[in-house]
Amino acid sequence: MYVAVKGGAKAIEAAHRLMAKRRRGNPELPGISLDQIREQLGLAVDRVMAEGSLYSPELAALAVKQARGDLVEAIFLLRAARATFPRFGYCLPVDTGTMRVERRISATWKDLPGGQLLGPTFDYTHRLLDYSLMEEKEPAGRDGPAEIKGPGMKSPEMKRPKALKALLGEGLMEAEEDDGREPGDITRQPVDFPVDRAGRLQNLARSDEGFTLALAYSTQRGFGSVHPFVAELRQGTLSVEFTPEELGFPVTLGEIDLTECETVNQFKGGGGQPPTFTRGYGLAFGHNERKALAMAIVDRALRAEELGEEIKGPAQNQEFVFSHSDNVEAAGFVSHIKLPHYVDFQAELSMLRQMRKAANDDQR
Amino acid sequence: MTSAETGYNFAYLDEDSKRLIRRALLKAVAVPGYQVPFAGREMPMPYGWGTGGIQVTAALIGPDDVLKVIDQGSDDTTNAVSIRAFFSKTAGVATTTVTGEASIIQTRHRIPERPLKPGQIMVYQVPIPEPLRWLEPGETETRVLHALGEYGLMYVKLYEDISRHGRIATSYDYPVEVFGRYIMSPSPIPRFDNPKLDRSPALHLFGAGREKRIYAVPPYSPVRSLDFEDYPFAVQRWPEVCAICGASDSYLDEVVLDDGGRRLFVCSDSDYCAGRAGKGSPPQ
């Protein structure tokens, strides 16, 4: 009797020990190293960095290891660590036009300045299980560091201008200019609806990939009308620069991998504006194509109000998207119903009994 | 104040974050019942598991404080244990299970049975700070309703309860009006606990981490549970008494004993119960 609520401390301690044991798995097998995770589960690491809002392949790999491969848990670990890191300033804005691209495609032009570069992608692979990977040792030379040759690889250092520049000149594409305003920071300031586009993009950049994907999909199926073309999808490496106050000139902090997606969408015109193309924008740390593309679609959908479009779907409702896109918040709140609710349940129980009794008495 | 042992600042949060939270707390105390937005931090516990209360406690707690943490009224439920351990580890503060000894009491879903004293601070973990949320999902809209004091929706809801069920069918998280102005969610405490908020000598602070809101009931504030003249507010009562201490004035949890439907009732407030049963804290 009354045992259920006693012994919490002991139970927690034992649960932690069990988790540690489960995490390690069979101790006769070698433990997995952070290097192995970073190198061989790179896309998992990239997702954790993107949604964890912290560019650190090493810490992200650690989080993946500690979370036993549960990426939402790993994202949470990284976020909680990130929240305690001091901020010493903002880097200079990166210019993705200067990216050393590994992959760069456009679906709107057959060819364009800088060319199409397919790069590493699951697209066009046949999703057949490769049973040869089941071998402990992969065949020598198969994935070796042999030089991979292709037309686009001739000049990997070649700058590839942004595809949408072609439309800007003609005035067919809305221009996006830096208005010089300091963007807010959704992790440092409380949310106040309506949130401007900078804030929405910050939210989408860390939003759950699955949620963002589903929202993007919903707009394509008619819950909000977005008819996007992928003007450009690029993925590659960029330098990050920072100007320390005491130096007064920018120094390079390091390099990061980014995936960027720009969509072009029809806009019929209205409110005194001529018909024009509008953009959606997606950006994610690492190689994170599905996320960047979905983000660009949702970003555009969320501009419905600004563009005077009818709001027909959840993807166009910024309160809906902003408040539910974060998987650390969502996973926490959904899972909190595992916590004891004896008190509230008891209150409901008594209430229900009283109501049934009253109903019974009435019938008699 | 970084602790060498944990590598984290005293009580986990950095001092800038604490200052930000304290500013929100001051505003909340100045405008009782008003939900103050604050830039909540990610805590190392999941959202929905008390991160709002933990942030409030972290911003308030000093080395001389004595902390009590309860969940469902008990100091020994798993999440209460976990939160207490967190502050023992990151702040090294003294903890207690005795209501009267605590300077800060963090709670989920209950207010202790023993009357609170001046100088004590209650910190509530709040899942949904907006009392109007079930009636109006949009935050932009509910903020306007609060600003205008436009609470017709809530009264209509209560009225509909009465017309449908013959009573106000809200058993916990029962809405209150603070200082005759804002309607406030008291957090999911049973309505049994609502009267304890009215003119309480303690300071009551409410933290919603995921929703990033802080609000407060300052000491001695009038707190009225919403009702109608002909349907006055009333609290739950049990025909049974506590099977351990015999209390007839405390909130009781039902414990199912077997498949045959045998059950007994025990105090939800474990400190109150232990004190009455002669173990643990003496009666005050």
Side-chain angles (χ1 to χ4, degrees), chain A residues 134-171:
Chain A
M134 288 173 85
E135 303 291 325
E136 265 307 303
K137 285 207 160 50
E138 289 166 29
R142 183 197 161 94
D143 288 315
E147 195 68 20
I148 298 169
K149 291 199 166 65
M153 302 303 285
K154 275 183 300 196
S155 49
E157 296 298 326
M158 183 175 145
K159 297 278 195 305
R160 290 173 168 85
K162 302 294 286 289
L164 283 173
K165 273 197 171 159
L167 289 175
L168 275 174
E170 246 184 293

mmCIF file of all heavy atoms in Angstrom, chain A residues 134-171:
data_model
loop_
_atom_site.group_PDB
_atom_site.id
_atom_site.type_symbol
_atom_site.label_atom_id
_atom_site.label_comp_id
_atom_site.label_asym_id
_atom_site.label_seq_id
_atom_site.Cartn_x
_atom_site.Cartn_y
_atom_site.Cartn_z
ATOM 1 N N MET A 134 26.455 -5.493 -45.556
ATOM 2 C CA MET A 134 26.290 -6.324 -44.366
ATOM 3 C C MET A 134 27.612 -6.906 -43.903
ATOM 4 O O MET A 134 27.752 -7.300 -42.745
ATOM 5 C CB MET A 134 25.311 -7.472 -44.641
ATOM 6 C CG MET A 134 23.875 -7.010 -44.747
ATOM 7 S SD MET A 134 22.787 -8.338 -45.253
ATOM 8 C CE MET A 134 22.450 -9.095 -43.666
ATOM 9 N N GLU A 135 28.551 -6.966 -44.824
ATOM 10 C CA GLU A 135 29.859 -7.501 -44.458
ATOM 11 C C GLU A 135 30.487 -6.595 -43.418
ATOM 12 O O GLU A 135 30.378 -5.378 -43.490
ATOM 13 C CB GLU A 135 30.767 -7.552 -45.691
ATOM 14 C CG GLU A 135 30.195 -8.366 -46.838
ATOM 15 C CD GLU A 135 30.166 -9.848 -46.511
ATOM 16 O OE1 GLU A 135 31.100 -10.297 -45.818
ATOM 17 O OE2 GLU A 135 29.214 -10.530 -46.927
ATOM 18 N N GLU A 136 31.168 -7.221 -42.463
ATOM 19 C CA GLU A 136 31.910 -6.440 -41.478
ATOM 20 C C GLU A 136 32.897 -5.523 -42.191
ATOM 21 O O GLU A 136 33.011 -4.345 -41.923
ATOM 22 C CB GLU A 136 32.685 -7.372 -40.539
ATOM 23 C CG GLU A 136 31.991 -7.708 -39.241
ATOM 24 C CD GLU A 136 31.535 -6.503 -38.447
ATOM 25 O OE1 GLU A 136 32.378 -5.658 -38.117
ATOM 26 O OE2 GLU A 136 30.329 -6.410 -38.151
ATOM 27 N N LYS A 137 33.648 -6.128 -43.098
ATOM 28 C CA LYS A 137 34.665 -5.369 -43.824
ATOM 29 C C LYS A 137 34.145 -5.087 -45.221
ATOM 30 O O LYS A 137 33.742 -6.005 -45.932
ATOM 31 C CB LYS A 137 35.952 -6.197 -43.922
ATOM 32 C CG LYS A 137 36.739 -6.258 -42.638
ATOM 33 C CD LYS A 137 38.210 -6.473 -42.968
ATOM 34 C CE LYS A 137 39.149 -6.094 -41.859
ATOM 35 N NZ LYS A 137 38.911 -6.587 -40.558
ATOM 36 N N GLU A 138 34.162 -3.823 -45.588
ATOM 37 C CA GLU A 138 33.698 -3.495 -46.920
ATOM 38 C C GLU A 138 34.799 -3.826 -47.915
ATOM 39 O O GLU A 138 35.981 -3.745 -47.574
ATOM 40 C CB GLU A 138 33.321 -2.020 -46.975
ATOM 41 C CG GLU A 138 32.058 -1.780 -46.184
ATOM 42 C CD GLU A 138 31.806 -0.319 -45.920
ATOM 43 O OE1 GLU A 138 32.236 0.496 -46.733
ATOM 44 O OE2 GLU A 138 31.171 -0.030 -44.897
ATOM 45 N N PRO A 139 34.442 -4.204 -49.144
ATOM 46 C CA PRO A 139 35.451 -4.570 -50.139
ATOM 47 C C PRO A 139 36.480 -3.458 -50.298
ATOM 48 O O PRO A 139 36.118 -2.280 -50.368
ATOM 49 C CB PRO A 139 34.641 -4.747 -51.424
ATOM 50 C CG PRO A 139 33.226 -4.858 -50.999
ATOM 51 C CD PRO A 139 33.087 -4.247 -49.656
ATOM 52 N N ALA A 140 37.744 -3.861 -50.359
ATOM 53 C CA ALA A 140 38.817 -2.873 -50.472
ATOM 54 C C ALA A 140 38.611 -2.038 -51.726
ATOM 55 O O ALA A 140 38.224 -2.558 -52.772
ATOM 56 C CB ALA A 140 40.164 -3.580 -50.498
ATOM 57 N N GLY A 141 38.871 -0.788 -51.609
ATOM 58 C CA GLY A 141 38.844 0.083 -52.778
ATOM 59 C C GLY A 141 37.453 0.578 -53.125
ATOM 60 O O GLY A 141 37.290 1.588 -53.766
ATOM 61 N N ARG A 142 36.467 -0.107 -52.620
ATOM 62 C CA ARG A 142 35.104 0.246 -52.981
ATOM 63 C C ARG A 142 34.736 1.669 -52.565
ATOM 64 O O ARG A 142 34.232 2.458 -53.349
ATOM 65 C CB ARG A 142 34.172 -0.740 -52.278
ATOM 66 C CG ARG A 142 32.738 -0.538 -52.611
ATOM 67 C CD ARG A 142 31.898 -1.253 -51.572
ATOM 68 N NE ARG A 142 30.567 -0.696 -51.613
ATOM 69 C CZ ARG A 142 29.581 -1.204 -52.313
ATOM 70 N NH1 ARG A 142 29.755 -2.308 -52.989
ATOM 71 N NH2 ARG A 142 28.402 -0.622 -52.332
ATOM 72 N N ASP A 143 35.007 1.951 -51.324
ATOM 73 C CA ASP A 143 34.708 3.300 -50.859
ATOM 74 C C ASP A 143 35.987 4.035 -50.513
ATOM 75 O O ASP A 143 36.017 4.907 -49.670
ATOM 76 C CB ASP A 143 33.787 3.245 -49.629
ATOM 77 C CG ASP A 143 32.392 2.822 -50.027
ATOM 78 O OD1 ASP A 143 31.900 3.343 -51.031
ATOM 79 O OD2 ASP A 143 31.840 1.946 -49.339
ATOM 80 N N GLY A 144 37.037 3.599 -51.148
ATOM 81 C CA GLY A 144 38.343 4.191 -50.843
ATOM 82 C C GLY A 144 38.394 5.633 -51.268
ATOM 83 O O GLY A 144 37.441 6.177 -51.829
ATOM 84 N N PRO A 145 39.498 6.257 -50.968
ATOM 85 C CA PRO A 145 39.611 7.681 -51.266
ATOM 86 C C PRO A 145 39.930 7.969 -52.734
ATOM 87 O O PRO A 145 40.434 9.043 -53.040
ATOM 88 C CB PRO A 145 40.764 8.111 -50.353
ATOM 89 C CG PRO A 145 41.601 6.888 -50.184
ATOM 90 C CD PRO A 145 40.707 5.697 -50.354
ATOM 91 N N ALA A 146 39.643 6.996 -53.620
ATOM 92 C CA ALA A 146 39.955 7.213 -55.027
ATOM 93 C C ALA A 146 39.316 8.507 -55.526
ATOM 94 O O ALA A 146 38.215 8.862 -55.116
ATOM 95 C CB ALA A 146 39.446 6.034 -55.852
ATOM 96 N N GLU A 147 40.000 9.186 -56.403
ATOM 97 C CA GLU A 147 39.506 10.443 -56.963
ATOM 98 C C GLU A 147 38.214 10.198 -57.739
ATOM 99 O O GLU A 147 38.126 9.276 -58.537
ATOM 100 C CB GLU A 147 40.579 10.994 -57.901
ATOM 101 C CG GLU A 147 40.386 12.433 -58.290
ATOM 102 C CD GLU A 147 40.582 13.389 -57.101
ATOM 103 O OE1 GLU A 147 41.218 12.986 -56.094
ATOM 104 O OE2 GLU A 147 40.089 14.496 -57.191
ATOM 105 N N ILE A 148 37.196 10.976 -57.446
ATOM 106 C CA ILE A 148 35.958 10.848 -58.210
ATOM 107 C C ILE A 148 35.961 11.949 -59.257
ATOM 108 O O ILE A 148 36.118 13.134 -58.935
ATOM 109 C CB ILE A 148 34.738 10.975 -57.280
ATOM 110 C CG1 ILE A 148 34.768 9.844 -56.254
ATOM 111 C CG2 ILE A 148 33.437 10.954 -58.073
ATOM 112 C CD1 ILE A 148 33.780 10.000 -55.122
ATOM 113 N N LYS A 149 35.826 11.518 -60.511
ATOM 114 C CA LYS A 149 35.920 12.507 -61.585
ATOM 115 C C LYS A 149 34.552 12.741 -62.216
ATOM 116 O O LYS A 149 33.734 11.837 -62.323
ATOM 117 C CB LYS A 149 36.895 12.009 -62.663
ATOM 118 C CG LYS A 149 38.340 11.969 -62.190
ATOM 119 C CD LYS A 149 39.281 11.930 -63.362
ATOM 120 C CE LYS A 149 40.709 12.231 -62.928
ATOM 121 N NZ LYS A 149 41.255 11.209 -62.031
ATOM 122 N N GLY A 150 34.312 13.963 -62.611
ATOM 123 C CA GLY A 150 33.058 14.284 -63.287
ATOM 124 C C GLY A 150 33.170 15.677 -63.838
ATOM 125 O O GLY A 150 34.069 16.425 -63.448
ATOM 126 N N PRO A 151 32.253 16.058 -64.714
ATOM 127 C CA PRO A 151 32.387 17.353 -65.371
ATOM 128 C C PRO A 151 32.382 18.519 -64.387
ATOM 129 O O PRO A 151 33.133 19.476 -64.539
ATOM 130 C CB PRO A 151 31.167 17.409 -66.304
ATOM 131 C CG PRO A 151 30.271 16.289 -65.905
ATOM 132 C CD PRO A 151 31.096 15.282 -65.178
ATOM 133 N N GLY A 152 31.543 18.427 -63.377
ATOM 134 C CA GLY A 152 31.438 19.552 -62.454
ATOM 135 C C GLY A 152 32.614 19.638 -61.506
ATOM 136 O O GLY A 152 32.798 20.653 -60.839
ATOM 137 N N MET A 153 33.369 18.555 -61.390
ATOM 138 C CA MET A 153 34.420 18.518 -60.389
ATOM 139 C C MET A 153 35.697 19.188 -60.876
ATOM 140 O O MET A 153 36.660 19.290 -60.154
ATOM 141 C CB MET A 153 34.729 17.070 -59.992
ATOM 142 C CG MET A 153 33.543 16.304 -59.460
ATOM 143 S SD MET A 153 32.773 17.089 -58.046
ATOM 144 C CE MET A 153 33.981 16.686 -56.781
ATOM 145 N N LYS A 154 35.667 19.605 -62.149
ATOM 146 C CA LYS A 154 36.875 20.193 -62.714
ATOM 147 C C LYS A 154 37.329 21.396 -61.902
ATOM 148 O O LYS A 154 38.501 21.616 -61.698
ATOM 149 C CB LYS A 154 36.608 20.627 -64.167
ATOM 150 C CG LYS A 154 36.789 19.505 -65.161
ATOM 151 C CD LYS A 154 36.579 19.993 -66.582
ATOM 152 C CE LYS A 154 35.188 20.556 -66.757
ATOM 153 N NZ LYS A 154 34.740 20.708 -68.137
ATOM 154 N N SER A 155 36.358 22.173 -61.505
ATOM 155 C CA SER A 155 36.720 23.428 -60.847
ATOM 156 C C SER A 155 35.921 23.585 -59.564
ATOM 157 O O SER A 155 35.000 24.386 -59.487
ATOM 158 C CB SER A 155 36.414 24.594 -61.776
ATOM 159 O OG SER A 155 35.097 24.453 -62.280
ATOM 160 N N PRO A 156 36.222 22.769 -58.592
ATOM 161 C CA PRO A 156 35.415 22.839 -57.368
ATOM 162 C C PRO A 156 35.475 24.213 -56.701
ATOM 163 O O PRO A 156 34.578 24.571 -55.938
ATOM 164 C CB PRO A 156 36.031 21.752 -56.483
ATOM 165 C CG PRO A 156 37.371 21.466 -57.054
ATOM 166 C CD PRO A 156 37.310 21.798 -58.503
ATOM 167 N N GLU A 157 36.501 24.969 -56.988
ATOM 168 C CA GLU A 157 36.629 26.280 -56.352
ATOM 169 C C GLU A 157 35.834 27.346 -57.100
ATOM 170 O O GLU A 157 35.745 28.480 -56.672
ATOM 171 C CB GLU A 157 38.102 26.708 -56.302
ATOM 172 C CG GLU A 157 38.979 25.812 -55.431
ATOM 173 C CD GLU A 157 38.550 25.823 -53.972
ATOM 174 O OE1 GLU A 157 38.090 26.872 -53.501
ATOM 175 O OE2 GLU A 157 38.651 24.766 -53.319
ATOM 176 N N MET A 158 35.271 26.951 -58.235
ATOM 177 C CA MET A 158 34.578 27.940 -59.047
ATOM 178 C C MET A 158 33.368 28.502 -58.306
ATOM 179 O O MET A 158 32.580 27.778 -57.731
ATOM 180 C CB MET A 158 34.110 27.256 -60.331
ATOM 181 C CG MET A 158 33.426 28.166 -61.301
ATOM 182 S SD MET A 158 33.095 27.192 -62.792
ATOM 183 C CE MET A 158 31.552 27.863 -63.304
ATOM 184 N N LYS A 159 33.236 29.809 -58.322
ATOM 185 C CA LYS A 159 32.082 30.454 -57.705
ATOM 186 C C LYS A 159 30.872 30.243 -58.596
ATOM 187 O O LYS A 159 30.946 30.361 -59.814
ATOM 188 C CB LYS A 159 32.336 31.957 -57.562
ATOM 189 C CG LYS A 159 33.489 32.300 -56.652
ATOM 190 C CD LYS A 159 33.047 32.277 -55.206
ATOM 191 C CE LYS A 159 34.042 32.946 -54.274
ATOM 192 N NZ LYS A 159 35.394 32.425 -54.341
ATOM 193 N N ARG A 160 29.769 29.938 -57.967
ATOM 194 C CA ARG A 160 28.549 29.759 -58.748
ATOM 195 C C ARG A 160 27.535 30.801 -58.284
ATOM 196 O O ARG A 160 27.063 30.730 -57.161
ATOM 197 C CB ARG A 160 28.025 28.350 -58.586
ATOM 198 C CG ARG A 160 28.934 27.347 -59.269
ATOM 199 C CD ARG A 160 28.551 25.924 -58.983
ATOM 200 N NE ARG A 160 29.265 25.014 -59.857
ATOM 201 C CZ ARG A 160 30.485 24.549 -59.614
ATOM 202 N NH1 ARG A 160 31.143 24.915 -58.541
ATOM 203 N NH2 ARG A 160 31.064 23.725 -60.466
ATOM 204 N N PRO A 161 27.241 31.758 -59.162
ATOM 205 C CA PRO A 161 26.320 32.816 -58.732
ATOM 206 C C PRO A 161 24.951 32.236 -58.416
ATOM 207 O O PRO A 161 24.590 31.168 -58.901
ATOM 208 C CB PRO A 161 26.262 33.748 -59.937
ATOM 209 C CG PRO A 161 26.714 32.928 -61.089
ATOM 210 C CD PRO A 161 27.645 31.892 -60.555
ATOM 211 N N LYS A 162 24.187 32.962 -57.606
ATOM 212 C CA LYS A 162 22.857 32.498 -57.236
ATOM 213 C C LYS A 162 21.958 32.485 -58.471
ATOM 214 O O LYS A 162 21.946 33.438 -59.257
ATOM 215 C CB LYS A 162 22.256 33.407 -56.161
ATOM 216 C CG LYS A 162 23.093 33.506 -54.903
ATOM 217 C CD LYS A 162 23.164 32.193 -54.154
ATOM 218 C CE LYS A 162 21.867 31.903 -53.456
ATOM 219 N NZ LYS A 162 21.626 32.789 -52.310
ATOM 220 N N ALA A 163 21.217 31.407 -58.621
ATOM 221 C CA ALA A 163 20.411 31.203 -59.825
ATOM 222 C C ALA A 163 19.372 32.302 -60.027
ATOM 223 O O ALA A 163 19.086 32.701 -61.152
ATOM 224 C CB ALA A 163 19.723 29.844 -59.747
ATOM 225 N N LEU A 164 18.830 32.788 -58.916
ATOM 226 C CA LEU A 164 17.718 33.730 -59.048
ATOM 227 C C LEU A 164 18.132 35.103 -59.563
ATOM 228 O O LEU A 164 17.286 35.922 -59.902
ATOM 229 C CB LEU A 164 16.972 33.866 -57.709
ATOM 230 C CG LEU A 164 16.056 32.689 -57.399
ATOM 231 C CD1 LEU A 164 15.482 32.799 -56.007
ATOM 232 C CD2 LEU A 164 14.918 32.623 -58.415
ATOM 233 N N LYS A 165 19.445 35.325 -59.617
ATOM 234 C CA LYS A 165 19.913 36.615 -60.152
ATOM 235 C C LYS A 165 19.373 36.869 -61.545
ATOM 236 O O LYS A 165 19.108 38.006 -61.923
ATOM 237 C CB LYS A 165 21.440 36.632 -60.180
ATOM 238 C CG LYS A 165 22.048 37.105 -58.881
ATOM 239 C CD LYS A 165 23.502 37.506 -59.065
ATOM 240 C CE LYS A 165 23.999 38.170 -57.786
ATOM 241 N NZ LYS A 165 25.452 38.141 -57.688
ATOM 242 N N ALA A 166 19.214 35.767 -62.315
ATOM 243 C CA ALA A 166 18.759 35.904 -63.697
ATOM 244 C C ALA A 166 17.392 36.589 -63.772
ATOM 245 O O ALA A 166 17.121 37.336 -64.697
ATOM 246 C CB ALA A 166 18.687 34.528 -64.350
ATOM 247 N N LEU A 167 16.536 36.313 -62.790
ATOM 248 C CA LEU A 167 15.181 36.877 -62.828
ATOM 249 C C LEU A 167 15.113 38.280 -62.248
ATOM 250 O O LEU A 167 14.215 39.051 -62.556
ATOM 251 C CB LEU A 167 14.215 35.979 -62.052
ATOM 252 C CG LEU A 167 13.874 34.636 -62.683
ATOM 253 C CD1 LEU A 167 13.002 33.839 -61.733
ATOM 254 C CD2 LEU A 167 13.153 34.828 -64.010
ATOM 255 N N LEU A 168 16.067 38.581 -61.394
ATOM 256 C CA LEU A 168 16.028 39.878 -60.719
ATOM 257 C C LEU A 168 16.146 41.022 -61.711
ATOM 258 O O LEU A 168 15.442 42.024 -61.615
ATOM 259 C CB LEU A 168 17.172 39.971 -59.707
ATOM 260 C CG LEU A 168 16.896 39.375 -58.338
ATOM 261 C CD1 LEU A 168 18.163 39.418 -57.501
ATOM 262 C CD2 LEU A 168 15.780 40.135 -57.659
ATOM 263 N N GLY A 169 17.051 40.840 -62.687
ATOM 264 C CA GLY A 169 17.311 41.897 -63.656
ATOM 265 C C GLY A 169 16.048 42.310 -64.386
ATOM 266 O O GLY A 169 15.774 43.491 -64.583
ATOM 267 N N GLU A 170 15.234 41.328 -64.719
ATOM 268 C CA GLU A 170 14.034 41.604 -65.507
ATOM 269 C C GLU A 170 12.899 42.176 -64.666
ATOM 270 O O GLU A 170 11.847 42.514 -65.193
ATOM 271 C CB GLU A 170 13.552 40.287 -66.123
ATOM 272 C CG GLU A 170 13.643 40.239 -67.637
ATOM 273 C CD GLU A 170 13.055 38.925 -68.130
ATOM 274 O OE1 GLU A 170 13.649 37.873 -67.857
ATOM 275 O OE2 GLU A 170 11.997 38.965 -68.760
ATOM 276 N N GLY A 171 13.077 42.153 -63.371
ATOM 277 C CA GLY A 171 12.004 42.639 -62.509
ATOM 278 C C GLY A 171 10.900 41.618 -62.317
ATOM 279 O O GLY A 171 9.838 41.918 -61.775
#
